[in-house]
Each structure stands twice: as structure tokens, then as C-alpha cells.
Amino acid sequence: IEEAAKYVDAEKGVTTAEEAIAGASDIIAESISDEADYRTHIRDLTVKKGRMTSTAKDPETESVYEMYYEFSESLSKLAGHRILAISRGEKEKFLTVKIDAPVDRILSYLDRKLITAPSAPTAAVLHEVTEDAYNRLIAPAIEREIRNDLFEKAEDGAIRVFGKNLEQLLMQPPIVGHTVLGWDPAFRTGCKLAVV
């Protein structure tokens, strides 16, 4: 606080040492949030160890999403059809969805990166700053990124499965037991098949 008192300046809107510390903490939190290596590590850790959870907004309401009213599954094992169903349930306002990250491991990682002298008087303040940076700035952005990525992959997978199923359906013979030589849609006179 003695060191922070040196930065008190009423003209700049800093009237107390606590305000000076809060301002410095915000600046440090922003710089932590902007560090690409930290974000990459936290995102990877969340994808590997995090879980997607969904809860019912109203557990008494009946819906097709009842199996997701109390749901939790590891992000690394989450199937595409579940992601799509959970997203629909959230969009239709039946579910509340969030990603549970391994917060203790993430904060420990950030502390190791920022606090070089754990016994220093600034260590406690830096720990608060890392918590604030993660909870307020990093976590919401990473959750959005992961959810968007999961949704896009699930959609792509669903489209591939649909395409494969449609191809098999279209490749089936139209008349069982007969060979079709040709098919004329004959828009004016009606459909005609040349059958052997």
C-alpha cells in the first residue's frame, strides 16, 4: 500500500492507494487475458479435462430434452448428436448449459507463470489478479470458442452422416427385381420408366 500511495493522483481520478492497486490490477488482468500462450494452454486444458453440463430451467416441464435435465459429460468424449440436442434445448429455453473447466489447475498454471516470488508481498495481489483475469475475461471467451467449435464439428458430422444415408437411399434400385434402363421425368406427360 505504501508503494501504491505514490501513484495517488486526483487529476487522473486515483484518489486512494486502493484505487491505484485496483487500476494496476485491471491493467495486469487485461495483459494476462491478451497473452496468446496462456489462452492456448487454458483452452487445451479445458478441452481435455473440462465437462459440458446442462440443467433444466424448470425441472417440472415435460420436453424431449428430459434426458439432459441433469447431464454432465467430458468434452473429450461428447458425441455430436448430444451437442446438437443440448444446443437445441438451450435455444428453446429448456436447458441451461455451461462448460465446467478445471479451474484449480488453470489458476495454478497462471500463478506459476506470473508469481515469480511466492513470498513477496505482491503475491497475494497477483493471485487475486489471475483469478479476476480468468473468471472475468478468459473463461467466458474460451467457453464461447469451445462451444462454437464443438457445435460446428457436430453439424459437419451430422451433414456427413445425412449425405452418406441419402447416397445409400438414392443408389437403391427403384423397382426391386427389375433392371431399370432409364427414367424420364416427363414433366408434361408424367414419369416414365424403361424396365427390362
Side-chain angles (χ1 to χ4, degrees):
I1 294 200
E2 291 172 17
E3 188 66 28
K6 296 176 185 176
Y7 296 94
V8 172
D9 186 348
E11 288 180 15
K12 293 181 180 174
V14 182
T15 56
T16 64
E18 286 76 15
E19 284 183 13
I21 291 172
S25 296
D26 284 346
I27 292 168
I28 295 169
E30 291 280 344
S31 70
I32 293 169
S33 167
D34 292 340
E35 185 64 46
D37 290 343
Y38 297 167
R39 277 185 178 257
T40 302
H41 181 81
I42 291 168
R43 188 179 194 282
D44 291 345
L45 190 59
T46 303
V47 168
K48 286 178 190 163
K49 303 290 182 186
R51 301 182 73 77
M52 180 178 277
T53 61
S54 66
T55 54
K57 288 195 174 185
D58 180 10
E60 304 302 314
T61 306
E62 289 185 17
S63 75
V64 294
Y65 306 107
E66 287 177 25
M67 70 180 293
Y68 300 111
Y69 279 9
E70 289 295 325
F71 177 80
S72 176
E73 190 169 349
S74 171
L75 290 174
S76 58
K77 295 178 182 171
L78 201 56
H81 67 277
R82 289 191 193 280
I83 294 165
L84 294 174
I86 289 169
S87 294
R88 278 193 309 273
E90 183 181 35
K91 193 178 278 186
E92 294 175 21
K93 307 216 183 308
F94 286 106
L95 301 174
T96 301
V97 182
K98 67 176 187 161
I99 290 179
D100 289 332
V103 177
D104 292 341
R105 288 182 66 173
I106 291 168
L107 292 178
S108 173
Y109 164 78
L110 288 174
D111 283 347
R112 283 194 312 274
K113 290 291 184 184
L114 266 74
I115 302 172
T116 53
S119 58
T122 55
V125 174
L126 283 174
H127 178 70
E128 288 177 19
V129 169
T130 58
E131 276 190 35
D132 177 52
Y134 176 70
N135 292 327
R136 183 170 55 90
L137 303 169
I138 299 172
I142 285 185
E143 180 168 346
R144 274 192 307 275
E145 281 176 31
I146 290 172
R147 289 198 55 197
N148 287 340
D149 191 39
L150 287 172
F151 186 77
E152 283 177 19
K153 285 179 182 172
E155 268 192 332
D156 290 345
I159 290 168
R160 275 195 307 277
V161 168
F162 178 78
K164 191 175 177 183
N165 291 343
L166 183 61
E167 181 183 13
Q168 289 174 357
L169 187 66
L170 292 174
M171 296 306 289
Q172 288 179 356
I175 302 172
V176 180
H178 296 283
T179 304
V180 176
L181 295 176
W183 178 64
D184 178 13
F187 295 114
R188 288 184 306 110
T189 59
C191 181
K192 297 175 187 161
L193 287 175
V195 179
V196 178

